[in-house]
Amino acid sequence: MLKGKTALVTGSTSGIGLGIAKALAAQGANLVMNGFGDVEVPKAEIAAYGVKVVHHGADMSKPAEIEAMMKFAAEQFGRVDILVNNAGIQHVALVEDFPPEKWDAIIAINLTSAFHTTRLALPAMKAANWGRVLNIASAHGLVASAQKSAYVASKHGLVGFTKSLALETATTGITSNAICPGWVLTPLVQKQIDDRAKRENITVDQANKDLLGEKQPSLQFTTPEQLGDLAVFLCSPSGNNVRGVAWQIDGGWTAQ
Ligand code: NAD
């Protein structure tokens, strides 16, 4: 379905970004990967779908590096058709204890990077009159939790950005939507589970159950594969008139 299209997924060396990149590759899209850590294993997993895959290691907190990545993508494939703004980080602390440099990093990576990638991808999408911008927000783009002020602010901001862009592109073939996962068992969440187990002197298994029980009524993690399937739907012709939504896939978290 996406043969001949190019997808750029920020933060696709791990977790949700990798799940979405694989789902798009399975539909035939070529991939520009981004993110830190091991690149070769995830790159091979994506390439196994028979598509062309390249990686750019831009740091999403640095606008000049984002510009270099978008230029690199255009040189490799002509343009980005599907932009998935996924890279994100977390830090947990009370507002008065929140390190200002962590606040700045979370806003830069989780929110501002999406503005830069999008502004640079849009002209070519407009010229082709087709494009998809998928912003990976969170249940925390819709509701809050204590001790996550920067993350909640960044994700609410990302949902707002998604809606503004959807209005600006409403009469075109470009759509802009946010995906709002609840808990997904990735390295980002595993760290919170491990910290909780240590803090409360309980087993990791118990910390796992407590984490889900607190927020996610289904008591099940959302999976990167389920998020990949939702991304594919939003890229399909059936998604042509889905515009400006913040689509929960959160086991009932935000229904409470
Ligand atoms: P993860 O830690 O597994 O992956 C994060 C990815 O972002 C990695 O590829 C990492 O290398 C990359 N990254 C981090 N900082 C970067 C930077 N400065 N520049 C470039 N790349 C960078 O996390 P994940 O759980 O897969 O999270 C992905 C997105 O999904 C995040 O935006 C997160 O907020 C969101 N999300 C996660 C959950 C969850 O439960 N895991 C829930 C809702 C939303």
Side-chain angles (χ1 to χ4, degrees):
M1 190 178 70
L2 300 175
K3 212 168 167 41
K5 304 271 193 233
T6 297
L8 185 152
V9 185
T10 67
S12 44
T13 49
S14 163
I16 294 170
L18 178 57
I20 291 176
K22 287 203 277 196
L24 297 175
Q27 296 297 322
N30 292 322
L31 250 298
V32 182
M33 293 177 67
N34 158 260
F36 303 146
D38 177 41
V39 173
E40 289 318 312
V41 171
K43 194 174 175 186
E45 285 176 21
I46 298 169
Y49 291 99
V51 298
K52 192 171 170 209
V53 190
V54 296
H55 173 266
H56 193 284
D59 181 334
M60 288 300 109
S61 67
K62 304 206 163 93
E65 293 189 23
I66 296 173
E67 286 202 26
M69 178 183 73
M70 299 307 288
K71 199 161 162 243
F72 169 77
E75 281 162 9
Q76 293 287 320
F77 295 114
R79 67 167 178 269
V80 172
D81 302 290
I82 300 164
L83 172 64
V84 184
N85 291 308
N86 165 79
I89 59 166
Q90 175 63 287
H91 184 78
V92 179
L94 294 168
V95 169
E96 64 268 36
D97 301 330
F98 217 92
E101 63 279 8
K102 284 276 181 206
W103 173 280
D104 288 344
I106 289 173
I107 299 297
I109 295 165
N110 296 14
L111 175 60
T112 309
S113 75
F115 159 67
H116 288 298
T117 54
T118 305
R119 76 181 170 81
L120 295 164
L122 269 179
M125 286 182 181
K126 283 192 172 165
N129 197 31
W130 197 91
R132 293 288 188 262
V133 179
L134 303 182
N135 293 322
I136 309 309
S138 167
H140 283 122
L142 302 167
V143 296
S145 292
Q147 302 204 28
K148 294 187 175 175
S149 55
Y151 188 84
V152 168
S154 73
K155 297 298 186 179
H156 275 66
L158 192 56
V159 168
F161 175 69
T162 304
K163 292 180 185 175
S164 275
L165 179 66
L167 296 180
E168 290 184 17
T169 54
T171 59
T172 74
I174 303 163
T175 69
S176 162
N177 292 292
I179 293 177
C180 297
W183 292 124
V184 186
L185 193 54
T186 66
L188 182 138
V189 167
Q190 190 63 51
K191 182 179 178 308
Q192 293 176 59
I193 294 170
D194 294 344
D195 289 350
R196 187 183 190 126
K198 209 180 290 169
R199 192 176 62 243
E200 295 178 9
N201 199 21
I202 54 177
T203 64
V204 169
D205 190 44
Q206 190 57 46
N208 221 321
K209 288 195 178 111
D210 292 353
L211 180 106
L212 285 170
E214 217 170 65
K215 298 278 186 187
Q216 196 142 304
S218 68
L219 303 179
Q220 287 173 19
F221 288 103
T222 298
T223 66
E225 291 75 21
Q226 290 164 346
L227 294 164
D229 287 346
L230 178 55
V232 167
F233 166 72
L234 291 170
C235 290
S236 75
S238 300
N240 279 355
N241 210 26
V242 181
R243 294 172 185 271
V245 305
W247 192 313
Q248 298 105 309
I249 176 161
D250 64 3
W253 179 326
T254 53
Q256 296 170 99

